[in-house]
Amino acid sequence: MAYGTQNAAYDLSLFDEELNYSTAAPKRQELDEPQRQGRKKQNSRNKVVTLPEEELNKIRRRKHNPLKLALGAVGAAVVAFVIGIILVEQVQLTELNQDIITAKQELADADSINIQNKMKVESTLSNAEIERYATEVLGLSKASNAQKEFVALEYGDKAEVSEAKDGNIFTQFFDTLFSLWS
């Protein structure tokens, strides 16, 4: 069964000038006489609409609204401006990131040079070099027993730990009780 013959959307026989009832469409043969005449009248009319050339040109000609054109131009300018700002900001950000990278590299190089210089200084200054410099240049000498002073304590060695006495009345009370017991 052919689908195109039963569906009205695809029925091309409506555009024929004469009704052609074929065996492929049995439903059309069953139409009663008034329906057949109505179809003949529809088919006999010209279904193609023709317009005069002036109306066709009027339809083809697009009417431009100046307000819409101005708004479109302003909108396009705003979009272009925003895109330009974004591009400039990205360029500046890239340049700043590059500056940061070069500064970090320079810092790493300076740290490396500083460590090398410290190693050179430490290798040249041994204890013997320091003693020689102190005696020859500064005129210092090693400490002798005559320069040493001995201190005698009457009560022996005693160590005290000083603590900050920041506290409230209760902590001071408990501290005094504990000092009595010790």
Side-chain angles (χ1 to χ4, degrees), residues 8-74:
Y10 297 107
D11 193 5
L12 298 177
S13 65
L14 294 174
F15 296 101
D16 291 340
E17 294 204 18
E18 298 177 6
L19 284 176
N20 185 7
Y21 295 107
S22 64
T23 58
K27 290 186 179 180
R28 291 189 186 211
Q29 291 176 355
E30 298 172 1
L31 293 175
D32 58 346
E33 192 62 31
Q35 288 176 347
R36 285 185 187 174
Q37 289 177 358
R39 284 273 171 96
K40 284 183 184 178
K41 287 181 183 178
Q42 286 178 356
N43 287 339
S44 64
R45 279 190 262 151
N46 190 1
K47 299 242 187 316
V48 178
V49 177
T50 57
L51 293 174
E53 191 67 30
E54 290 178 9
E55 290 184 24
L56 283 175
N57 287 336
K58 188 186 258 188
I59 291 171
R60 288 181 190 151
R61 200 175 334 127
R62 185 173 178 173
K63 296 177 184 175
H64 299 289
N65 187 354
L67 181 63
K68 287 183 180 179
L69 286 174
L71 286 176
V74 168

Side-chain angles (χ1 to χ4, degrees), residues 26 40 45 121 147-148 169:
K40 284 183 184 178
R45 279 190 262 151
V121 167
Q147 294 173 332
K148 295 179 186 175
I169 296 172

Side-chain angles (χ1 to χ4, degrees), residues 76-88:
V78 166
V79 168
F81 182 72
V82 168
I83 290 173
I85 287 175
I86 290 171
L87 288 175
V88 167

